[in-house]
Amino acid sequence: MRVLLVGGGGREHALALGLIRDPGVEGLVAAPGNPGIASVAEVREVDACDPAAVAGLAVEVGADLVVIGPEAPLVAGVADAVRAKGVAAFGPSAEAARLEGSKTFAKEVMTAAGVPTARAHTCTDAESTARALDEFGAPYVVKNDGLAAGKGVVVTEDRAAALRHAQDCGRVVVEEYLAGPEVSLFVVTDGEAALPLLPAQDFKRVGDGDSGPNTGGMGAYAPLPWAPPGLVDEVMADVVHPTLAELRRRGTPFAGLLYVGLALTAAGPRVIEFNARFGDPETQVVLALLETPLAGLLHAAATGTLATHPPLRWRDGAAVTVVVAADGYPASPHTGDVITGAERAGIIHAGTARRAADGALLSAGGRVLCGTATGPDLAAARDAAYALVRGVELAGSHHRTDIAAAAVEGRIAVPG
Ligand code: AMP
């Protein structure tokens, strides 16, 4: 099978590593890729959000499968354009990707499907926003209604800051605060059949102890030793299958990766958000543990044959990833600095570039790279991931020092 992978971040580097491990993959092309991906795949230039350009490239490289990593190309209709050329695409249609692209649409689907989630109001002016904030009380949760690359959410005790964020966004969803540990569950689906991957946890806030602003994600680990038994079955029955059924009923079936972000509250699991693609950086840890050949799995989802796919196989042990972020991230990341010590297995590139003059590796984004490691248990995987990160030098960079620490120390409790 020849595979075209669309995207160029840490998630796509992790996907590339998974795809080349699949013995069924004869060739991997990535567009636009990044320097890490370039060491395992042929890299081509493309505007990932241009449906015609991606579909044309898929035909040109003879792809049997196109895997679309990021959300923006999905919302732009890249999967539709690829399928229109007769090439299998892993990723939902633009219509179905609205599950991520519009928070209001996601809430409508959840309500129609009876999926447990936070109560919410869509607001477009200061008055209705203030009313919604006061109805739910602090901590206040205000979400940009459009695509925000995971960064459009403010959770704050400060009512004025909540109002300011609403004003900056224009159209927002104000919702009730959900208290409880968070879980990311990835589900591979062809629109009807659905296979859950291992639950993972990511770390959204920039600083240790969940301090500071939200980011795209500063680290992750899997599996979750503290997760209640039966959690995945419960989420499949109460969230995933009703949501997929509702989207089929609307004539816009969701095929691809359904990312369910949950809070495990005292009242049970509640959906915080849906995404229409693999999460970054949870993908790095989940795929590090997946033994089942990845391309075969994604191809089955892309071709409607997931019902006959064999059960997934997983490695024993655990995986941890720690993100190294650029100076100034998330507010105003500094780029163009030289990185050393990144040429090692387990370093996954996110925002990196090569300097044309001498090939030196440079920072080129807020989240620059991550150290990903597996181990026989979470403590060992954590030590190995931090050893990788300590070997990387990048002026002014920062990383959290507490990724997976609470889980290793048994400090996470599910309420109720
Ligand atoms: P989202 O982009 O919707 O995933 O939100 C980003 C992060 O904000 C989540 O991972 C949560 O940590 C937090 N968050 C979002 N919605 C809520 C909520 N209703 N209650 C508590 N935390 C939330």
Side-chain angles (χ1 to χ4, degrees):
M1 183 179 353
R2 283 183 64 75
V3 182
L4 172 62
L5 171 64
V6 177
R11 161 186 46 224
E12 288 76 29
H13 191 181
L15 282 164
L17 294 171
L19 289 166
I20 57 157
R21 274 202 307 269
D22 184 332
V25 172
E26 294 151 15
L28 177 64
V29 179
N34 67 31
I37 296 171
S39 61
V40 296
E42 177 192 341
V43 167
R44 298 284 296 262
E45 274 300 315
V46 82
D47 174 357
C49 288
D50 179 340
V54 174
L57 182 61
V59 171
E60 184 194 326
V61 304
D64 305 295
L65 173 68
V66 178
V67 177
I68 300 153
E71 58 275 23
L74 294 166
V75 171
V78 167
D80 308 80
V82 170
R83 281 193 275 266
K85 293 278 187 197
V87 180
F90 181 77
S93 66
E95 276 292 317
R98 289 174 67 216
L99 211 50
E100 170 162 6
S102 164
K103 301 268 184 202
T104 302
F105 177 73
K107 283 289 179 194
E108 268 171 38
V109 169
M110 283 190 257
T111 303
V115 166
T117 184
R119 289 179 298 136
H121 297 299
T122 301
C123 304
T124 50
D125 60 70
E127 201 184 312
S128 62
T129 304
R131 229 180 303 123
L133 292 176
D134 295 336
E135 177 184 338
F136 299 133
Y140 303 105
V141 181
V142 180
K143 303 185 173 189
N144 193 338
D145 189 37
L147 262 196
K151 295 154 209 156
V153 178
V154 161
V155 180
T156 178
E157 296 280 341
D158 180 344
R159 189 171 178 280
L163 276 168
R164 261 197 316 278
H165 183 61
Q167 198 169 18
D168 292 346
C169 296
R171 187 182 158 95
V172 293
V173 173
V174 177
E175 64 179 45
E176 143 192 45
Y177 178 79
L178 298 172
E182 288 182 34
V183 173
S184 303
L185 183 67
F186 296 168
V187 179
V188 174
T189 176
D190 59 11
E192 189 142 11
L195 288 176
L197 307 188
L198 285 182
Q201 188 173 52
D202 78 342
F203 293 76
K204 286 272 188 229
R205 301 279 184 149
V206 73
D208 282 1
D210 292 330
S211 59
N214 265 332
T215 68
M218 294 298 289
Y221 66 94
L224 308 177
W226 47 267
L231 172 69
V232 172
D233 289 344
E234 184 181 354
V235 174
M236 292 302 287
D238 295 350
V239 175
V240 174
H241 285 297
T243 300
L244 295 177
E246 173 61 20
L247 287 163
R248 287 196 302 272
R249 193 189 65 74
R250 290 171 180 237
T252 56
F254 185 102
L257 195 290
L258 180 63
Y259 167 130
V260 187
L262 299 151
L264 304 192
T265 74
R270 295 282 179 274
V271 175
I272 289 183
E273 64 163 346
F274 286 131
N275 289 323
R277 38 76 194 176
F278 282 98
D280 191 345
E282 299 99 308
T283 303
Q284 285 81 319
V285 290
V286 171
L287 294 187
L289 296 170
L290 181 68
E291 254 179 20
T292 299
L294 180 62
L297 173 65
L298 303 186
H299 189 263
T303 53
T305 57
L306 203 57
T308 56
H309 191 279
L312 301 184
R313 287 179 290 110
W314 297 96
R315 285 173 67 153
D316 291 335
V320 173
T321 192
V322 178
V323 170
V324 175
D327 191 16
Y329 179 77
S332 51
H334 194 266
T335 58
D337 297 311
V338 172
I339 307 162
T340 56
E343 314 295 335
R344 279 170 306 149
I347 296 291
I348 292 187
H349 292 231
T352 65
R354 291 265 176 221
R355 186 157 61 197
D358 60 359
L361 191 66
L362 303 178
S363 59
R367 292 188 295 169
V368 178
L369 49 78
C370 40
T372 306
T374 57
D377 58 29
L378 203 50
R382 180 171 193 274
D383 288 345
Y386 274 105
L388 279 169
V389 161
R390 277 194 298 274
V392 173
E393 281 187 44
L394 167 62
S397 67
H398 57 97
H399 61 266
R400 280 184 65 158
T401 67
D402 64 348
I403 302 302
V408 167
E409 291 157 17
R411 287 190 279 113
I412 301 184
V414 178

